[in-house]
């Protein structure tokens, strides 16, 4: 279908169908400690009894006095118990904006906590994107862990007074995992800028070398922390993600590995994805909003400098089993690695400086989930087509629809063709356009095939779905809108 044959409508006003929160002010409550962690479950599936368990338990007495009526978060490092108390206190103080759940446990049994911050923290928001931040995958890289706690505090405390934050939380579900490696963190030491003490999990595995790899078989034994992440992102279809690290000041984007790397070395050749333009854009959004990163200054004399504060991962140094490549290739999630501090575990008195440098970057980066195209794949009766396989022509990494028929793809302005394949339906190509000012809504209706078996997406010529994209059953969904204004136009295509 040619662009001229598309029905293009310009919608004058976009109204957000998100219920208003009457009161997000601190509330004085009396809590009794509970021994039941399963108060309610997150996004219940049919007959599965809940995929994740939320923990909104009360706050016990503790030396730091984190209670629901305490609003300030101090600039110190928080051990696992202190972090847990703070997260629970936040959910108690902001029950309409937050929800706390665990995706699993570390090798030593510590919960891998995730806090959702959104105007709809527990409920599916049709057409609205899920995004995530993950910190502390290397246990001794501790700045990101604290930055994510302060991001939580800033988001919940600013919802009632900052229109931009309100827009972001009304239209996005933000999942924040402050520490993926709490065991490694417990073995680390404040003030240690270099070295490997605490980098690995308690079994001695580097978690950022522990994921399946696109270019090479990864024979390292999968760890419980890695398995928890793999299960998590197979159930929630994240659009955008950032992993916070330390030891450099740069944004690194996929690919991290390359088929040509015989050994790992610095200053290798870049290994570019089909979405290299998008990854560079996302990386620059973070670097340019950072207090120092875009200057490209090397942390040490012997360390490389990075033009504009960004780098292709393999061009920096190739690695096998990285998390950002896994997110992108297996699940279509655009993830980058955020190196936010030259010192891995700097003294606590420097944390405020790191927050000042990264605050704007962290917020603006998440808003990029609302750039590009989003829409629904439906059958002629209006029912959603689940697990339809999609690809932007010329960009071989595929992505799938949710059980509600939704899809999202971050793209820069231009003209594109969407290729859609689904079992039992005739394949379809649809042309559409992305403009800078507005997101594009693209709804596609598929016609049933006479014989479904003939149209198996995996057997179609040119589908290019031999890549390790695993069909998933996502449980949460999205709705892009541009951050420029509360009321705005959207470019709409139907086919």
């Amino acid at each position: 279908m040619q662009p001229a044959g598309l029905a293009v409508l310009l919608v004058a006003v976009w109204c957000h169908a998100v219920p208003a929160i009457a009161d997000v002010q601190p509330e004085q409550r009396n809590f009794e400690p509970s021994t039941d962690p399963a108060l309610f479950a997150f996004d219940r599936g049919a007959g599965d009894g809940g995929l994740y368990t939320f923990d909104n338990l009360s706050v016990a007495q503790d030396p730091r006095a984190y209670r629901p009526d305490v609003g300030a978060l101090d600039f110190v490092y928080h051990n696992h118990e202190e972090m847990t108390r703070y997260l629970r206190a936040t959910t108690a103080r902001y029950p309409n904006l937050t929800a706390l759940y665990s995706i699993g446990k570390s090798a030593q049994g510590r919960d891998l906590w995730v806090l959702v911050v959104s105007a709809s923290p527990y409920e599916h928001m049709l057409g609205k994107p899920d995004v995530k931040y993950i910190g502390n995958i290397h246990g001794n890289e501790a700045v990101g862990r604290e930055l994510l706690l302060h991001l939580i505090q800033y988001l919940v405390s600013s919802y009632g007074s900052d229109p931009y934050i309100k827009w972001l939380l009304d239209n996005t579900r933000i999942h924040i995992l402050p520490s993926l490696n709490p065991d490694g963190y417990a073995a680390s030491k404040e003030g240690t800028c270099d070295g490997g003490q605490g980098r690995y999990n308690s079994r001695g595995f580097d978690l950022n070398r522990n994921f399946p790899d696109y270019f090479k078989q990864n024979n390292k034994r999968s760890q419980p922390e890695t398995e928890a992440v793999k299960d998590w992102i197979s159930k929630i279809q994240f659009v955008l993600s950032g992993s916070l690290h330390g030891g450099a000041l740069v944004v690194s984007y996929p690919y991290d590995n390359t088929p040509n790397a015989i050994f790992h070395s610095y200053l290798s050749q870049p290994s570019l994805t089909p979405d290299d333009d998008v990854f560079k854009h996302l990386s620059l959004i973070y670097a340019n909003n950072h207090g120092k990163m875009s200057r490209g200054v090397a942390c040490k004399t012997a360390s490389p400098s990075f033009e504009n504060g960004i780098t292709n991962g393999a061009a920096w140094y190739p690695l096998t089993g990285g998390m950002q490549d896994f997110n992108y290739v297996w699940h279509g999630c655009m993830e980058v690695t955020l190196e936010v501090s030259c010192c891995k575990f700097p003294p606590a008195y420097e944390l405020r400086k790191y927050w000042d440098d990264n605050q704007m970057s962290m917020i603006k980066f998440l808003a990029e989930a609302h750039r590009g195209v989003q829409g629904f794949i439906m059958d002629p009766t209006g029912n959603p087509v689940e697990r339809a396989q999609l690809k932007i022509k010329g960009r071989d990494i595929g992505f799938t629809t949710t059980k509600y028929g939704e899809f999202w793809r971050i793209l820069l302005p231009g003209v594109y063709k969407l290729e859609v394949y689904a079992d039992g339906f005739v394949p379809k190509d649809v042309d559409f356009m992305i403009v800078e000012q507005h997101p594009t809504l693209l709804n596609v209706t598929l016609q049933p095939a006479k014989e479904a078996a003939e149209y198996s997406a995996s057997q179609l010529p040119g589908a290019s779905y031999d890549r390790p994209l695993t069909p998933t059953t996502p449980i949460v969904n999205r709705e892009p809108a541009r951050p420029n204004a509360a009321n705005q136009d959207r470019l709409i295509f139907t086919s």
Side-chain angles (χ1 to χ4, degrees):
M1 180 179 293
Q2 299 299 317
L6 298 173
V8 182
L9 299 176
L10 192 63
V11 178
V13 179
W14 169 243
C15 298
H16 302 303
V18 178
I21 293 179
D23 186 6
V24 295
Q25 297 301 314
E27 181 179 356
Q28 184 67 41
R29 298 182 178 183
N30 293 319
F31 293 94
E32 292 298 330
S34 171
T35 58
D36 180 13
L39 299 186
F40 37 86
F42 171 49
D43 286 317
R44 290 185 178 274
D48 61 8
L51 292 166
Y52 296 115
T53 299
F54 279 100
D55 186 333
N56 281 356
L57 301 183
S58 60
V59 183
Q61 297 292 328
D62 66 274
R64 287 268 175 81
Y66 290 131
R67 300 185 181 89
D69 59 347
V70 176
L73 177 67
D74 47 355
F75 283 94
V76 297
Y77 290 105
H78 302 82
N79 64 31
H80 187 74
E81 292 71 25
E82 293 164 345
M83 181 182 72
T84 300
R85 286 193 290 267
Y86 170 73
L87 294 174
R88 287 174 174 170
T90 302
T91 61
R93 188 179 183 216
Y94 297 96
N96 294 323
L97 287 176
T98 62
L100 181 63
Y101 65 97
S102 174
I103 62 170
K105 292 184 182 293
S106 68
Q108 291 184 340
R110 294 179 173 91
D111 274 296
L112 304 175
W113 294 118
V114 176
L115 190 78
V116 183
V117 187
S118 172
S120 182
Y122 296 102
E123 297 177 356
H124 158 71
M125 294 199 297
L126 189 66
K128 299 191 177 183
D130 283 85
V131 297
K132 62 182 168 70
Y133 275 132
I134 297 177
N136 207 204
I137 187 171
H138 292 142
N140 62 339
E141 297 172 12
V143 173
R145 174 187 176 111
E146 297 303 324
L147 290 181
L148 292 178
L149 295 182
H150 281 276
L151 178 63
I152 290 168
Q153 184 67 30
Y154 182 79
L155 292 174
V156 296
S157 62
S158 301
Y159 180 82
S161 58
D162 187 328
Y164 189 93
I165 298 301
K166 186 178 189 305
W167 168 84
L168 187 63
L169 298 191
D170 282 351
N171 292 279
T172 322
R173 297 187 77 201
I174 303 170
H175 301 245
I176 297 176
L177 197 170
S179 181
L180 181 57
N181 189 359
D183 299 350
Y185 177 83
S188 305
K189 184 178 180 181
E190 181 180 341
T192 305
C193 288
D194 301 303
Q197 181 180 348
R199 174 183 177 88
Y200 310 105
N201 77 344
S202 60
R203 297 175 180 173
F205 284 82
D206 187 329
L207 298 179
N208 202 40
R209 309 293 189 273
N210 199 238
F211 287 87
D213 194 88
Y214 177 47
F215 295 100
K216 300 172 184 176
Q217 184 172 349
N218 190 353
N219 295 319
K220 293 183 175 65
R221 181 160 54 94
S222 188
Q223 297 302 295
E225 298 91 345
T226 310
E227 287 298 310
V229 171
K230 288 161 64 177
D231 181 67
W232 182 35
I233 64 179
S234 74
K235 292 181 171 66
I236 302 177
Q237 191 165 318
F238 292 105
V239 175
L240 182 62
S241 175
S243 173
L244 281 73
H245 291 242
L249 203 60
V250 67
V251 179
S252 173
Y253 56 88
Y255 292 116
D256 263 336
N257 207 356
T258 170
N260 302 318
I262 300 175
F263 56 89
H264 292 184
S265 63
Y266 284 90
L267 303 177
S268 302
Q269 293 298 312
S271 180
L272 305 182
T273 71
D275 292 290
D276 187 63
D277 58 337
V278 177
F279 276 117
K280 286 179 178 174
H281 169 81
L282 293 172
S283 300
L284 286 169
I285 287 292
Y286 198 95
N288 289 339
N289 283 285
H290 189 276
K292 303 178 181 67
M293 191 178 289
S294 62
R295 302 174 194 169
V297 178
C299 286
K300 298 178 181 178
T301 304
S303 299
S305 59
F306 304 98
E307 185 178 359
N308 299 318
I310 68 172
T311 184
N312 173 261
W316 185 8
Y317 62 93
L319 63 90
T320 299
M323 185 168 64
Q324 68 177 12
D325 286 10
F326 176 77
N327 270 265
Y328 174 59
V329 177
W330 266 259
H331 296 286
C333 174
M334 310 293 253
E335 178 170 288
V336 299
T337 297
L338 307 168
E339 301 277 357
V340 297
S341 64
C342 289
C343 179
K344 293 184 178 182
F345 204 151
Y349 65 80
E350 296 183 1
L351 285 173
R352 184 180 294 274
K353 172 189 68 176
Y354 289 112
W355 170 244
D356 291 341
D357 284 344
N358 287 276
Q359 175 187 352
M360 185 62 69
S361 293
M362 297 175 78
I363 294 168
K364 292 290 188 178
F365 177 80
L366 293 181
E368 289 299 302
H370 300 287
R371 174 184 295 278
V373 63
Q374 67 100 13
F376 297 85
I377 308 298
M378 300 166 290
D379 67 17
T381 64
N383 292 318
V385 178
E386 180 182 359
R387 296 188 183 183
Q389 299 192 56
L390 302 94
K391 187 181 71 171
I392 304 298
K393 187 175 180 61
R395 298 172 183 241
D396 288 340
I397 298 297
F399 50 105
T400 62
T401 57
T402 69
K403 68 179 180 181
Y404 303 100
E406 302 157 294
F407 71 91
W408 301 261
R409 198 65 169 177
I410 302 173
L411 294 167
L412 302 186
V415 176
Y416 301 90
K417 184 186 295 290
L418 179 70
E419 300 176 352
V420 186
Y421 307 88
D423 289 336
F425 294 90
V426 178
K428 192 167 189 177
D429 293 353
V430 183
D431 295 288
F432 65 97
M433 180 184 296
I434 300 291
V435 297
E436 177 65 33
Q437 294 82 6
H438 315 289
T440 295
L441 175 62
L442 176 61
N443 295 328
V444 179
T445 300
L446 295 181
Q447 298 299 323
K450 292 182 180 179
E451 295 185 30
E454 296 180 3
Y455 294 96
S456 173
S458 61
Q459 298 173 2
L460 284 170
S464 298
Y465 289 113
D466 55 340
R467 298 181 180 271
L469 176 69
T470 303
T472 62
T473 308
I475 56 177
V476 195
N477 313 278
R478 21 216 134 212
E479 171 128 79
R482 291 297 296 158
N484 305 20
N487 297 322
Q488 52 200 314
D489 301 336
R490 290 198 299 173
L491 198 60
I492 298 184
F493 292 79
T494 58
S495 177

